[in-house]
């Protein structure tokens, strides 16, 4: 996967032709860690391959874990089934979105989860980019039935 990222980055940014692969990987990690959004890369079967700093914090996964665990096992029970459905659809090539939340020391975080399948050369090595913009840190946001879903109250 690192080689693919290197090739892609150098094709898009010709100035990176002279940058070493190690430096390029550090630049990409710094870029991903600069956002408060959770960004993950999942294998077709849902194995967590990579996650940025915000994702590690939100799901309580140590950065040095090496990942490799099932992504679904990291979800709280309230969103497990929706996550499972979304993963199945994404593995089939469909872009999927679902509402989610995670537990943190300060309470719950609410997320707008988006799974985006990547086109690859073979179906067996398909990857999914999983982006979760943080929506709210304190309470479910209004709109999209968030309040109704998580607290039983409409906005």
């Amino acid at each position: 996967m690192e080689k693919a990222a290197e090739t892609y980055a150098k094709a898009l940014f010709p100035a990176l032709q002279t940058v070493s692969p190690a430096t390029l990987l550090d630049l990409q990690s710094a870029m991903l860690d600069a956002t408060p959004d959770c960004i993950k890369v999942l294998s077709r079967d849902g194995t967590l391959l990579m996650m940025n700093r915000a994702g590690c914090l939100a799901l309580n996964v140590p950065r040095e874990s090496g990942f490799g665990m099932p992504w679904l096992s990291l979800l709280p029970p309230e969103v497990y089934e929706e996550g499972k459905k979304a993963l199945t659809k994404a593995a089939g090539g469909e872009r999927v979105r679902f509402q989610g939340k995670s537990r943190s020391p300060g309470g719950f975080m609410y997320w707008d989860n988006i799974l985006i399948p990547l086109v690859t050369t073979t179906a067996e090595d398909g990857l999914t980019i999983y982006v979760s913009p943080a929506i709210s840190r304190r309470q479910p946001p209004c709109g999209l039935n968030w309040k109704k879903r998580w607290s039983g109250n409409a906005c």
Side-chain angles (χ1 to χ4, degrees):
M1 186 162 82
E2 289 176 18
K3 184 66 177 167
E6 177 186 345
T7 303
Y8 181 71
K10 287 184 176 181
L12 287 177
F13 307 102
L16 295 178
Q17 294 293 335
T18 59
V19 175
S20 73
T23 301
L24 184 60
L25 190 57
D26 288 343
L27 286 170
Q28 289 171 338
S29 291
M31 179 180 65
L32 292 172
D33 287 344
T35 179
D37 299 337
C38 294
I39 301 173
K40 302 162 213 58
V41 177
L42 307 176
S43 68
R44 185 182 174 111
D45 69 358
T47 301
L48 180 65
L49 302 176
M50 175 269 170
M51 185 163 48
N52 71 340
R53 182 179 46 137
C56 289
L57 291 172
L59 295 175
N60 299 310
V61 175
R63 297 279 319 246
E64 59 281 349
S65 71
F67 308 114
M69 68 279 292
W71 164 69
L72 288 172
S73 69
L74 301 173
L75 298 180
E78 303 92 322
V79 296
Y80 180 89
E81 284 304 318
E82 285 201 48
K84 187 175 179 180
K85 289 176 193 172
L87 184 59
T88 300
K89 289 180 179 181
E94 186 178 336
R95 184 179 174 148
V96 187
R97 191 174 199 166
F98 71 99
Q99 299 169 2
K101 69 177 179 178
S102 63
R103 291 183 182 93
S104 68
F108 285 106
M109 289 281 301
Y110 297 88
W111 306 93
D112 180 19
N113 298 289
I114 306 164
L115 281 73
I116 307 164
L118 296 180
V119 177
T120 57
T121 55
T122 64
E124 296 81 43
D125 66 356
L127 299 173
T128 299
I129 299 292
Y130 174 25
V131 180
S132 302
I135 300 299
S136 173
R137 293 188 183 275
R138 303 254 188 290
Q139 60 184 357
C142 288
L144 299 175
N145 295 319
W146 285 84
K147 286 270 190 186
K148 185 175 180 183
R149 170 145 191 226
W150 298 120
S151 65
N153 300 322
C155 292

